[in-house]
Amino acid sequence: MRDAPDAGRTLVILQFLGMGLVWGASFLFMKIALEGVTFGQVAWSRLVLGGLTLGLIVLVTRPRVLDGPVLPRETIVWLHFLVIAITGCVVPHLLFAWAEQYVSSSLASIYNAVTPIMTAVMATLAFRVERIVRGQVAGILVGIAGVVVIIGPWRYAALTGDLWGQLACLGAAVCYGFTFGYTRRFLSGRPIAPATFAFLNIGIAGAIMLVATPVLAWHPVALTVPIVAGLLVLGALGTGVAYIWNINVLRAWGPTNASTVTYVTPVVGVVLGVLVLAETFSWNEPAGAALVLLGILLTQRRLRLPGWARRAGRPAPAAAPVAAP
């Protein structure tokens, strides 16, 4: 009687580990791909391949909610998905790919971990779908301080490419935060199957990329086996199947435990960057990353400051959503 539940738990654990590995390694794959393709082609490939992969999954499984349609029929729903496809996929994927021309894959993975803090800011201030306690405000401030330490503005006499690359990574995290706040405000309560939700998000972004092919992807390429393999993993696995894994883990463990992948991805990104690409750090980058992690723990209410528990309204959910890089 215990075999099936035990097998199910093992599968969920494997999917969680797969998410952390694939999303953490995506920064390495982007860096490798940029040796033979443009940043636009990197973003184009991952979204088109991810959309095709998720489309095939939806076509085969035909997921429904309460015997409803596989795809939503309301025009407004499609318009909402168009918004999050642009802000949650097209723009941040382009920003991360562009940024990795100037910053290390390790540093890009650290900036992606800022997403839960940006989500708390956007969900509270921009969309007003959450209220936060004072301890979470402290977490946001600590996280922002960590970002400043990572950037290290004292090291720059002018706006260098490295600084602009870091700001692009930060801009991608802001886009993710906006997208999650927008999703909570306009889409979370609608009866849409998780696989369909992921397909519409990535699939519409992939369609936008196809329309933009002459601008983003119609350039010479220098393909090698590692570059092709990296793009396939980025698209079909990291921007496709891993979204389904995330949904399964979320259902099995709940949002609080599922969101701990946020702590795994930067570790994987940093380790791979150092081991595979021989990337190095300045002192301020790990120090700032530690502050960002502390800020995330406070923002998600995994740590509480004595005397800071008084609510500023109703409390926010304990976990921020997970963002694929």
Side-chain angles (χ1 to χ4, degrees):
M1 295 294 291
R2 294 183 179 180
D3 290 344
D6 288 345
R9 284 193 291 269
T10 301
L11 180 60
V12 171
I13 292 172
L14 291 175
Q15 289 174 330
F16 175 83
L17 294 175
M19 287 161 46
L21 289 173
V22 171
W23 285 348
S26 64
F27 300 96
L28 171 67
F29 294 137
M30 280 190 278
K31 198 72 168 181
I32 292 173
L34 286 169
E35 296 178 2
V37 300
T38 66
F39 77 92
Q41 290 168 332
V42 171
W44 185 96
S45 299
R46 65 183 304 189
L47 287 172
V48 171
L49 290 173
L52 290 173
T53 302
L54 289 168
L56 181 60
I57 292 173
V58 169
L59 182 64
V60 172
T61 61
R62 308 289 293 176
R64 300 174 186 271
V65 175
L66 301 175
D67 294 324
V70 176
L71 298 176
R73 294 171 179 171
E74 302 93 336
T75 302
I76 188 62
V77 174
W78 287 85
L79 291 176
H80 286 319
F81 272 106
L82 175 62
V83 172
I84 66 172
I86 294 172
T87 62
C89 297
V90 174
V91 175
H93 286 5
L94 285 170
L95 284 174
F96 267 127
W98 181 85
E100 286 209 33
Q101 298 175 111
Y102 305 101
V103 302
S104 67
S105 64
S106 305
L107 189 54
S109 69
I110 291 173
Y111 273 109
N112 185 65
V114 179
T115 296
I117 295 173
M118 294 301 174
T119 299
V121 173
M122 290 291 178
T124 303
L125 299 181
F127 296 101
R128 299 186 181 278
V129 294
E130 294 180 358
R131 301 274 186 180
I132 60 176
V133 300
R134 292 195 301 174
Q136 290 173 300
V137 174
I140 292 172
L141 295 177
V142 170
I144 293 173
V147 170
V148 173
V149 172
I150 294 170
I151 292 175
W154 58 85
R155 298 183 301 162
Y156 296 91
L159 295 179
T160 65
D162 179 57
L163 178 57
W164 281 107
Q166 293 192 60
L167 293 178
C169 291
L170 186 59
V174 172
C175 286
Y176 286 141
F178 174 91
T179 299
F180 286 124
Y182 189 97
T183 300
R184 289 181 183 180
R185 177 68 176 82
F186 297 108
L187 287 170
S188 292
R190 298 183 182 273
I192 303 172
T196 301
F197 199 106
F199 165 63
L200 291 175
N201 189 10
I202 304 300
I204 291 175
I208 293 172
M209 288 302 203
L210 288 174
V211 173
T213 296
V215 177
L216 293 177
W218 206 257
H219 303 288
V221 297
L223 297 180
T224 63
V225 172
I227 290 173
V228 172
L231 290 174
L232 286 174
V233 173
L234 271 173
L237 198 57
T239 319
V241 176
Y243 274 74
I244 305 299
W245 294 345
N246 182 41
I247 293 165
N248 292 336
V249 174
L250 185 66
R251 284 177 165 177
W253 291 359
T256 300
N257 291 325
S259 70
T260 56
V261 75
T262 305
Y263 314 140
V264 177
T265 52
V267 174
V268 173
V270 168
V271 169
L272 289 178
V274 172
L275 293 180
V276 179
L277 301 177
E279 295 176 346
T280 58
F281 285 103
S282 299
W283 69 267
N284 59 298
E285 291 164 3
L291 286 175
V292 168
L293 177 58
L294 176 60
I296 293 172
L297 293 172
L298 291 170
T299 303
Q300 294 185 344
R301 303 180 70 186
R302 297 175 185 274
L303 290 179
R304 298 172 187 267
L305 295 176
W308 284 70
R310 186 170 64 84
R311 290 189 293 178
R314 61 182 177 86
V322 179

PDB file of all heavy atoms in Angstrom, residues 114 117-118 121 137-151 291-292 295:
ATOM      1  N   VAL A 114      16.911  37.678  -6.932  1.00  0.00           N
ATOM      2  CA  VAL A 114      16.264  38.884  -6.397  1.00  0.00           C
ATOM      3  C   VAL A 114      14.765  38.867  -6.679  1.00  0.00           C
ATOM      4  O   VAL A 114      14.006  39.631  -6.083  1.00  0.00           O
ATOM      5  CB  VAL A 114      16.921  40.145  -7.007  1.00  0.00           C
ATOM      6  CG1 VAL A 114      16.258  41.420  -6.499  1.00  0.00           C
ATOM      7  CG2 VAL A 114      18.406  40.176  -6.678  1.00  0.00           C
ATOM      8  N   ILE A 117      11.971  39.227  -3.952  1.00  0.00           N
ATOM      9  CA  ILE A 117      11.896  40.562  -3.349  1.00  0.00           C
ATOM     10  C   ILE A 117      11.168  41.525  -4.277  1.00  0.00           C
ATOM     11  O   ILE A 117      10.317  42.310  -3.843  1.00  0.00           O
ATOM     12  CB  ILE A 117      13.314  41.067  -3.020  1.00  0.00           C
ATOM     13  CG1 ILE A 117      13.953  40.172  -1.946  1.00  0.00           C
ATOM     14  CG2 ILE A 117      13.286  42.522  -2.555  1.00  0.00           C
ATOM     15  CD1 ILE A 117      15.402  40.472  -1.666  1.00  0.00           C
ATOM     16  N   MET A 118      11.483  41.478  -5.570  1.00  0.00           N
ATOM     17  CA  MET A 118      10.796  42.331  -6.530  1.00  0.00           C
ATOM     18  C   MET A 118       9.308  41.984  -6.609  1.00  0.00           C
ATOM     19  O   MET A 118       8.458  42.863  -6.798  1.00  0.00           O
ATOM     20  CB  MET A 118      11.438  42.188  -7.906  1.00  0.00           C
ATOM     21  CG  MET A 118      12.853  42.717  -7.975  1.00  0.00           C
ATOM     22  SD  MET A 118      12.910  44.476  -7.522  1.00  0.00           S
ATOM     23  CE  MET A 118      14.683  44.757  -7.513  1.00  0.00           C
ATOM     24  N   VAL A 121       7.522  43.647  -3.725  1.00  0.00           N
ATOM     25  CA  VAL A 121       7.360  45.083  -3.973  1.00  0.00           C
ATOM     26  C   VAL A 121       6.221  45.335  -4.947  1.00  0.00           C
ATOM     27  O   VAL A 121       5.334  46.171  -4.707  1.00  0.00           O
ATOM     28  CB  VAL A 121       8.675  45.685  -4.514  1.00  0.00           C
ATOM     29  CG1 VAL A 121       8.461  47.127  -4.944  1.00  0.00           C
ATOM     30  CG2 VAL A 121       9.772  45.603  -3.455  1.00  0.00           C
ATOM     31  N   VAL A 137       8.990  44.334   5.194  1.00  0.00           N
ATOM     32  CA  VAL A 137       9.565  45.601   4.724  1.00  0.00           C
ATOM     33  C   VAL A 137      11.066  45.615   4.981  1.00  0.00           C
ATOM     34  O   VAL A 137      11.864  46.032   4.133  1.00  0.00           O
ATOM     35  CB  VAL A 137       8.880  46.800   5.419  1.00  0.00           C
ATOM     36  CG1 VAL A 137       9.582  48.100   5.043  1.00  0.00           C
ATOM     37  CG2 VAL A 137       7.408  46.862   5.054  1.00  0.00           C
ATOM     38  N   ALA A 138      11.458  45.145   6.159  1.00  0.00           N
ATOM     39  CA  ALA A 138      12.887  45.054   6.471  1.00  0.00           C
ATOM     40  C   ALA A 138      13.592  44.136   5.481  1.00  0.00           C
ATOM     41  O   ALA A 138      14.714  44.421   5.036  1.00  0.00           O
ATOM     42  CB  ALA A 138      13.080  44.540   7.902  1.00  0.00           C
ATOM     43  N   GLY A 139      12.945  43.023   5.103  1.00  0.00           N
ATOM     44  CA  GLY A 139      13.525  42.107   4.132  1.00  0.00           C
ATOM     45  C   GLY A 139      13.737  42.759   2.787  1.00  0.00           C
ATOM     46  O   GLY A 139      14.779  42.549   2.138  1.00  0.00           O
ATOM     47  N   ILE A 140      12.766  43.553   2.363  1.00  0.00           N
ATOM     48  CA  ILE A 140      12.900  44.257   1.083  1.00  0.00           C
ATOM     49  C   ILE A 140      14.081  45.224   1.131  1.00  0.00           C
ATOM     50  O   ILE A 140      14.884  45.309   0.197  1.00  0.00           O
ATOM     51  CB  ILE A 140      11.594  44.992   0.738  1.00  0.00           C
ATOM     52  CG1 ILE A 140      10.477  43.974   0.444  1.00  0.00           C
ATOM     53  CG2 ILE A 140      11.786  45.937  -0.454  1.00  0.00           C
ATOM     54  CD1 ILE A 140       9.114  44.592   0.284  1.00  0.00           C
ATOM     55  N   LEU A 141      14.195  45.957   2.236  1.00  0.00           N
ATOM     56  CA  LEU A 141      15.289  46.919   2.367  1.00  0.00           C
ATOM     57  C   LEU A 141      16.643  46.222   2.408  1.00  0.00           C
ATOM     58  O   LEU A 141      17.615  46.684   1.790  1.00  0.00           O
ATOM     59  CB  LEU A 141      15.085  47.759   3.625  1.00  0.00           C
ATOM     60  CG  LEU A 141      13.852  48.673   3.623  1.00  0.00           C
ATOM     61  CD1 LEU A 141      13.723  49.395   4.962  1.00  0.00           C
ATOM     62  CD2 LEU A 141      13.917  49.678   2.481  1.00  0.00           C
ATOM     63  N   VAL A 142      16.713  45.090   3.119  1.00  0.00           N
ATOM     64  CA  VAL A 142      17.968  44.332   3.171  1.00  0.00           C
ATOM     65  C   VAL A 142      18.323  43.806   1.782  1.00  0.00           C
ATOM     66  O   VAL A 142      19.480  43.847   1.356  1.00  0.00           O
ATOM     67  CB  VAL A 142      17.859  43.165   4.173  1.00  0.00           C
ATOM     68  CG1 VAL A 142      19.052  42.228   4.057  1.00  0.00           C
ATOM     69  CG2 VAL A 142      17.767  43.703   5.595  1.00  0.00           C
ATOM     70  N   GLY A 143      17.306  43.305   1.046  1.00  0.00           N
ATOM     71  CA  GLY A 143      17.549  42.805  -0.305  1.00  0.00           C
ATOM     72  C   GLY A 143      18.041  43.893  -1.238  1.00  0.00           C
ATOM     73  O   GLY A 143      18.951  43.675  -2.053  1.00  0.00           O
ATOM     74  N   ILE A 144      17.451  45.085  -1.141  1.00  0.00           N
ATOM     75  CA  ILE A 144      17.902  46.204  -1.968  1.00  0.00           C
ATOM     76  C   ILE A 144      19.345  46.578  -1.626  1.00  0.00           C
ATOM     77  O   ILE A 144      20.161  46.858  -2.513  1.00  0.00           O
ATOM     78  CB  ILE A 144      16.957  47.410  -1.788  1.00  0.00           C
ATOM     79  CG1 ILE A 144      15.573  47.083  -2.380  1.00  0.00           C
ATOM     80  CG2 ILE A 144      17.537  48.661  -2.449  1.00  0.00           C
ATOM     81  CD1 ILE A 144      14.527  48.141  -2.115  1.00  0.00           C
ATOM     82  N   ALA A 145      19.658  46.571  -0.326  1.00  0.00           N
ATOM     83  CA  ALA A 145      21.036  46.846   0.083  1.00  0.00           C
ATOM     84  C   ALA A 145      21.981  45.810  -0.508  1.00  0.00           C
ATOM     85  O   ALA A 145      23.096  46.134  -0.946  1.00  0.00           O
ATOM     86  CB  ALA A 145      21.133  46.856   1.611  1.00  0.00           C
ATOM     87  N   GLY A 146      21.552  44.550  -0.551  1.00  0.00           N
ATOM     88  CA  GLY A 146      22.371  43.506  -1.150  1.00  0.00           C
ATOM     89  C   GLY A 146      22.630  43.746  -2.616  1.00  0.00           C
ATOM     90  O   GLY A 146      23.747  43.531  -3.112  1.00  0.00           O
ATOM     91  N   VAL A 147      21.609  44.202  -3.333  1.00  0.00           N
ATOM     92  CA  VAL A 147      21.781  44.518  -4.759  1.00  0.00           C
ATOM     93  C   VAL A 147      22.808  45.622  -4.943  1.00  0.00           C
ATOM     94  O   VAL A 147      23.674  45.554  -5.831  1.00  0.00           O
ATOM     95  CB  VAL A 147      20.429  44.919  -5.388  1.00  0.00           C
ATOM     96  CG1 VAL A 147      20.633  45.480  -6.795  1.00  0.00           C
ATOM     97  CG2 VAL A 147      19.482  43.725  -5.430  1.00  0.00           C
ATOM     98  N   VAL A 148      22.746  46.651  -4.106  1.00  0.00           N
ATOM     99  CA  VAL A 148      23.703  47.756  -4.196  1.00  0.00           C
ATOM    100  C   VAL A 148      25.122  47.244  -3.951  1.00  0.00           C
ATOM    101  O   VAL A 148      26.070  47.624  -4.656  1.00  0.00           O
ATOM    102  CB  VAL A 148      23.343  48.870  -3.198  1.00  0.00           C
ATOM    103  CG1 VAL A 148      24.434  49.939  -3.178  1.00  0.00           C
ATOM    104  CG2 VAL A 148      22.002  49.499  -3.565  1.00  0.00           C
ATOM    105  N   VAL A 149      25.278  46.350  -2.965  1.00  0.00           N
ATOM    106  CA  VAL A 149      26.600  45.799  -2.677  1.00  0.00           C
ATOM    107  C   VAL A 149      27.105  44.972  -3.865  1.00  0.00           C
ATOM    108  O   VAL A 149      28.285  45.039  -4.234  1.00  0.00           O
ATOM    109  CB  VAL A 149      26.563  44.944  -1.395  1.00  0.00           C
ATOM    110  CG1 VAL A 149      27.893  44.206  -1.195  1.00  0.00           C
ATOM    111  CG2 VAL A 149      26.269  45.814  -0.189  1.00  0.00           C
ATOM    112  N   ILE A 150      26.219  44.181  -4.480  1.00  0.00           N
ATOM    113  CA  ILE A 150      26.623  43.380  -5.637  1.00  0.00           C
ATOM    114  C   ILE A 150      27.091  44.279  -6.779  1.00  0.00           C
ATOM    115  O   ILE A 150      28.126  44.037  -7.409  1.00  0.00           O
ATOM    116  CB  ILE A 150      25.465  42.486  -6.108  1.00  0.00           C
ATOM    117  CG1 ILE A 150      25.130  41.424  -5.054  1.00  0.00           C
ATOM    118  CG2 ILE A 150      25.837  41.778  -7.424  1.00  0.00           C
ATOM    119  CD1 ILE A 150      23.858  40.660  -5.347  1.00  0.00           C
ATOM    120  N   ILE A 151      26.328  45.328  -7.065  1.00  0.00           N
ATOM    121  CA  ILE A 151      26.699  46.243  -8.152  1.00  0.00           C
ATOM    122  C   ILE A 151      28.036  46.908  -7.861  1.00  0.00           C
ATOM    123  O   ILE A 151      28.878  47.077  -8.742  1.00  0.00           O
ATOM    124  CB  ILE A 151      25.596  47.299  -8.370  1.00  0.00           C
ATOM    125  CG1 ILE A 151      24.331  46.629  -8.921  1.00  0.00           C
ATOM    126  CG2 ILE A 151      26.068  48.398  -9.327  1.00  0.00           C
ATOM    127  CD1 ILE A 151      23.151  47.574  -9.060  1.00  0.00           C
ATOM    128  N   LEU A 291      23.295  39.053   1.566  1.00  0.00           N
ATOM    129  CA  LEU A 291      22.269  40.010   1.981  1.00  0.00           C
ATOM    130  C   LEU A 291      20.961  39.775   1.227  1.00  0.00           C
ATOM    131  O   LEU A 291      19.874  39.874   1.813  1.00  0.00           O
ATOM    132  CB  LEU A 291      22.763  41.441   1.749  1.00  0.00           C
ATOM    133  CG  LEU A 291      23.818  41.967   2.713  1.00  0.00           C
ATOM    134  CD1 LEU A 291      24.301  43.346   2.273  1.00  0.00           C
ATOM    135  CD2 LEU A 291      23.276  42.016   4.140  1.00  0.00           C
ATOM    136  N   VAL A 292      21.053  39.476  -0.066  1.00  0.00           N
ATOM    137  CA  VAL A 292      19.844  39.185  -0.846  1.00  0.00           C
ATOM    138  C   VAL A 292      19.133  37.966  -0.280  1.00  0.00           C
ATOM    139  O   VAL A 292      17.906  37.949  -0.126  1.00  0.00           O
ATOM    140  CB  VAL A 292      20.195  38.970  -2.332  1.00  0.00           C
ATOM    141  CG1 VAL A 292      19.008  38.388  -3.090  1.00  0.00           C
ATOM    142  CG2 VAL A 292      20.621  40.292  -2.968  1.00  0.00           C
ATOM    143  N   GLY A 295      17.412  38.891   2.803  1.00  0.00           N
ATOM    144  CA  GLY A 295      16.216  39.644   2.467  1.00  0.00           C
ATOM    145  C   GLY A 295      15.076  38.750   2.000  1.00  0.00           C
ATOM    146  O   GLY A 295      13.908  38.970   2.345  1.00  0.00           O
TER     147      GLY A 295
END
